[in-house]
Amino acid sequence: MILQKLLRVLSKNKVGHSIVYRARRLIASDKFVETELEFSQKRIIVPQSDFIGYQLYAFGQFEGHIQKATRSLDLQGKTIIDVGANIGAFAFNVCDLAKDIYAIEANPECCSILRKSIENANISNIEVINNAVSSNSNDTVDLRVSSNTLGNSSIVYKGDPSNKTVAINTISMDDFIFTNGITPYLIKVDIEGAEPLFLAGAEKTIERYKPIIILEFNCSIMTNLGQTVDDYKSLLKGEYNYFVADIYGKLNEISIEDIKSAMCNKTSLDIFFIPKNKI
């Protein structure tokens, strides 16, 4: 606990953050540690040498403004789909509010860590599904797993040539939702460039349920894949308003042009697509 407090003090500025993170990567190796999350007070198991794991250990949250903005929504008793669940940072930070959370993650290593956290914390409302979400179900794709950060795994973006590949079965969101009789209130999507594939396989879900969708735009990956913001707008058919969270977690409405402008200055941007009946 004392070490954790010291890390949080040292990591408050960029220089200290960089030094502490690099030092932990050198000394932590494959060690795992249990840490308490800031918002839900749930305890989660994290790999200390991983970037997201370090953030959770050092700060008790990852992308805190996104977490705050999400928790400000009407999640009580609702069903959430976490697409690209990683080691569970998002799912664990809303599991005290939601009725059910389906955490879908392609990386088997992340799934294993997340299941251990769920068992360790005795959480009953998170279900882990080890599939890659895509436009179609029952395909086998190569997941490229980053050697540095578990969260950088992708089925569409090659990244570092040294990254290993793992064969993973796909599932479309429409098949998952309608086969299991799920009514989603919110779907969070962070799948490293495969977001258009998610949307292509979620058209019936979006048409019927109009869920809130939190979707990451990663500028560098989108550029490498030849994607534009308009690719996403056309799939959502203009039925949503667009919001971003400021550093305090307050949602502010923006336009497509605002998103295009922001993309020129940021490496990634998380957009809250909220239908008019849920604003």
Side-chain angles (χ1 to χ4, degrees):
M1 184 62 70
I2 295 176
L3 175 60
Q4 189 175 41
K5 289 181 179 179
L6 177 61
L7 285 172
R8 293 186 181 185
V9 170
L10 291 174
S11 299
K12 285 184 178 180
N13 62 73
K14 290 184 177 180
V15 175
H17 178 278
S18 178
I19 293 172
V20 172
Y21 174 58
R22 291 176 183 276
R24 291 196 66 79
R25 280 193 59 83
L26 289 173
I27 65 176
S29 184
D30 295 324
K31 293 180 181 178
F32 291 84
V33 66
E34 182 182 315
T35 190
E36 183 176 293
L37 298 183
E38 177 182 354
F39 303 118
S40 66
Q41 280 76 58
K42 300 296 183 182
R43 299 192 67 79
I44 189 171
I45 296 171
V46 301
Q48 295 185 76
S49 60
D50 180 68
F51 178 73
I52 294 176
Y54 163 73
Q55 295 282 321
L56 294 172
Y57 181 77
F59 303 110
Q61 43 95 346
F62 176 68
E63 296 181 336
H65 63 301
I66 303 300
Q67 304 290 353
K68 286 182 181 179
T70 303
R71 290 179 64 87
S72 73
L73 301 170
D74 180 22
L75 303 181
Q76 203 72 45
K78 303 297 196 305
T79 295
I80 295 175
I81 315 294
D82 185 0
V83 180
N86 197 261
I87 59 174
F90 183 88
F92 262 64
N93 260 320
V94 294
C95 68
D96 60 319
L97 302 175
K99 176 184 177 183
D100 300 300
I101 300 175
Y102 296 92
I104 309 176
E105 171 57 46
N107 189 333
E109 184 178 355
C110 288
C111 288
S112 177
I113 297 170
L114 178 50
R115 287 188 176 112
K116 289 178 182 177
S117 289
I118 292 170
E119 181 180 3
N120 186 65
N122 195 29
I123 292 174
S124 60
N125 65 337
I126 301 178
E127 180 178 340
V128 181
I129 298 96
N130 186 199
N131 282 110
V133 172
S134 188
S135 55
N136 299 294
S137 297
N138 302 316
D139 291 333
T140 301
V141 296
D142 285 336
L143 174 72
R144 293 172 177 84
V145 180
S146 170
S147 58
N148 294 319
T149 304
L150 291 172
N152 285 347
S153 302
S154 176
I155 63 171
V156 296
Y157 180 59
K158 293 182 179 180
D160 191 329
S162 66
N163 290 347
K164 67 178 181 180
T165 60
V166 180
I168 298 294
N169 291 331
T170 65
I171 189 169
S172 75
M173 188 52 45
D174 285 343
D175 285 344
F176 179 74
I177 292 296
F178 289 99
T179 298
N180 294 288
I182 296 168
T183 302
Y185 178 80
L186 180 148
I187 305 176
K188 167 244 148 185
V189 189
D190 184 355
I191 45 178
E192 303 301 307
E195 286 80 5
L197 296 179
F198 154 80
L199 289 169
E203 290 184 347
K204 293 179 181 178
T205 298
I206 293 170
E207 180 66 28
R208 179 167 178 178
Y209 296 110
K210 300 292 188 299
I212 295 172
I213 298 174
I214 306 172
L215 194 145
E216 184 192 49
F217 287 72
N218 188 306
C219 188
S220 61
I221 292 179
M222 288 173 66
T223 300
N224 286 329
L225 295 174
Q227 298 173 2
T228 69
V229 173
D230 289 328
D231 293 332
Y232 295 73
K233 181 185 177 183
S234 63
L235 286 169
L236 291 175
K237 301 177 182 178
E239 297 176 348
Y240 284 72
N241 289 2
Y242 317 117
F243 297 81
V244 293
D246 63 21
I247 59 172
Y248 304 105
K250 180 182 177 182
L251 288 173
N252 299 289
E253 188 168 1
I254 58 174
S255 68
I256 285 291
E257 293 306 315
D258 291 329
I259 298 173
K260 290 179 179 179
S261 176
M263 288 297 295
C264 296
N265 302 308
K266 292 178 177 285
T267 57
S268 66
L269 190 67
D270 291 277
I271 310 295
F272 286 68
F273 292 84
I274 303 181
K276 294 177 175 59
N277 66 341
K278 293 179 180 176
I279 294 176

